Amino acid sequence: MRIVAKGLTYTYNPRSPFAVQALKGVDITIEEGEFFGIIGHTGSGKSTFLQHLNALVRLTGGYLKVGEYDLSSKKCDVLGLRAKVGMVFQYPEYQLFAETVEKDVMFGLKNFCRDMGEEEMRSAVREALETVGLDYEEVRDRSPFELSGGQKRRAAIAGVIVTKPEVLILDEPAAGLDPLGKKEIMQLLHGIHGGWCKTVVIVSHDMDEIAENCTRAAVFSEGKVVMEDTPAAIFARSDELLLLGLDIPVTAKCARILKERGIALDTDFTSDDLIRKVLAAYAARKEGRGC
Ligand code: ADP
Ligand code: MG
């Protein structure tokens, strides 16, 4: 499913003294198959944009199409859309509620797959929990509140992927986790991406995460998209990102320091690539070839 937004606008509390224009004309195209990143300051409109993608926020201005679903149309089949576009909110573990992990994960299925039998549902829950790296037999009858922080996050993600959505949207999926927990979340997303989950869209504050994982990304600023490109092209514009008050990946910081010292590297800002290029530059210097 291709996602195309043109001139998307959205105002919270319109016609009131508390009106806030969150989106001021968002243009963005996310192709099927991408692992797409969204970055930008707090308040730049990222979450408001995401919530448009499965009609949690109804479109009030502009054009938005997600696959064949035209959200600009009043006749849009919102339930059909939500079955195909899974949404994992920020800190999704706060939405765990059922007595057991199994019941929690099954909840989403009961909403979307009403004609599924009990056994089929159990096997879908098992598959979802195993996909997120939890042992079904071990966690199924436990309270979700007994799990560790990283496990709760993964159980909450299982509750969304249990319906196998074609597009998976995650708002800050790794926020607040320790480095290992973050790595596990990214590994699990890569594990499902390319199978039934064709497209992944993540919001992240972590520029290294974007540089290492995404095929393309968009930078939001004050309710608009100000850059949309590969991470390599976006982080090559680190001066502009810093001017916008955004961070840059550690690799981009290293590349800037090296450039100041006369070593200009053509890198895509993944750590593997940067290390390769630094070693090549070092070898070239040693041989007196310069760089
Ligand atoms: P981000 O996810 O990039 O931090 P948001 O989409 O949450 O940005 O917010 C964009 C703007 O809309 C901000 O100014 C924010 O304060 C405002 N906003 C977000 N949610 C609401 C809401 N429910 N009611 C009123 N204003 C909101
Ligand atoms: Mg947000």
Side-chain angles (χ1 to χ4, degrees), residues 46-47 90 171:
K46 305 181 298 294
S47 298
Q90 254 174 304
D171 203 345

Side-chain angles (χ1 to χ4, degrees), residues 212-282:
E212 298 290 341
N213 294 290
C214 295
T215 50
R216 286 196 318 128
V219 180
F220 274 60
S221 180
E222 297 180 5
K224 284 188 171 176
V225 173
V226 292
M227 292 185 203
E228 184 187 340
D229 217 324
T230 58
I234 288 176
F235 296 126
R237 296 165 68 182
S238 60
D239 286 344
E240 288 167 68
L241 294 170
L242 293 168
L243 273 178
L244 286 171
L246 293 171
D247 198 10
I248 56 174
V250 171
T251 47
K253 289 176 191 159
C254 294
R256 285 170 73 85
I257 294 168
L258 290 166
K259 197 173 169 195
E260 277 166 19
R261 305 207 174 163
I263 305 168
L265 297 177
D266 180 19
T267 172
D268 66 8
F269 303 104
T270 58
S271 47
D272 283 352
D273 186 65
L274 183 80
I275 290 167
R276 237 188 343 262
K277 301 282 163 65
V278 167
L279 290 175
Y282 177 72

Side-chain angles (χ1 to χ4, degrees), residues 129-258:
L129 285 168
E130 284 172 355
T131 302
V132 301
L134 294 173
D135 183 325
Y136 173 72
E137 297 299 342
E138 200 184 294
V139 298
R140 58 180 284 193
D141 294 324
R142 286 177 65 189
S143 156
F145 304 105
E146 286 170 16
L147 303 178
S148 75
Q151 287 176 326
K152 273 188 206 155
R153 177 82 47 100
R154 284 184 277 140
I157 293 176
V160 176
I161 66 166
V162 69
T163 56
K164 299 194 173 167
E166 252 183 67
V167 179
L168 185 61
I169 297 168
L170 307 102
D171 203 345
E172 298 268 4
L177 298 180
D178 60 27
L180 180 61
K182 283 181 199 252
K183 203 170 152 201
E184 285 170 351
I185 295 283
M186 285 301 140
Q187 275 171 350
L188 111 76
L189 295 180
H190 283 296
I192 57 176
H193 178 233
W196 44 263
C197 173
K198 299 200 175 84
T199 311
V200 172
V201 182
I202 58 167
V203 166
S204 180
H205 272 103
D206 184 334
M207 300 298 172
D208 297 280
E209 203 167 273
I210 299 283
E212 298 290 341
N213 294 290
C214 295
T215 50
R216 286 196 318 128
V219 180
F220 274 60
S221 180
E222 297 180 5
K224 284 188 171 176
V225 173
V226 292
M227 292 185 203
E228 184 187 340
D229 217 324
T230 58
I234 288 176
F235 296 126
R237 296 165 68 182
S238 60
D239 286 344
E240 288 167 68
L241 294 170
L242 293 168
L243 273 178
L244 286 171
L246 293 171
D247 198 10
I248 56 174
V250 171
T251 47
K253 289 176 191 159
C254 294
R256 285 170 73 85
I257 294 168
L258 290 166

Side-chain angles (χ1 to χ4, degrees), residues 12-13 20 22 41-48:
Y12 287 101
N13 312 312
V20 178
H41 254 301
T42 302
S44 59
K46 305 181 298 294
S47 298
T48 306

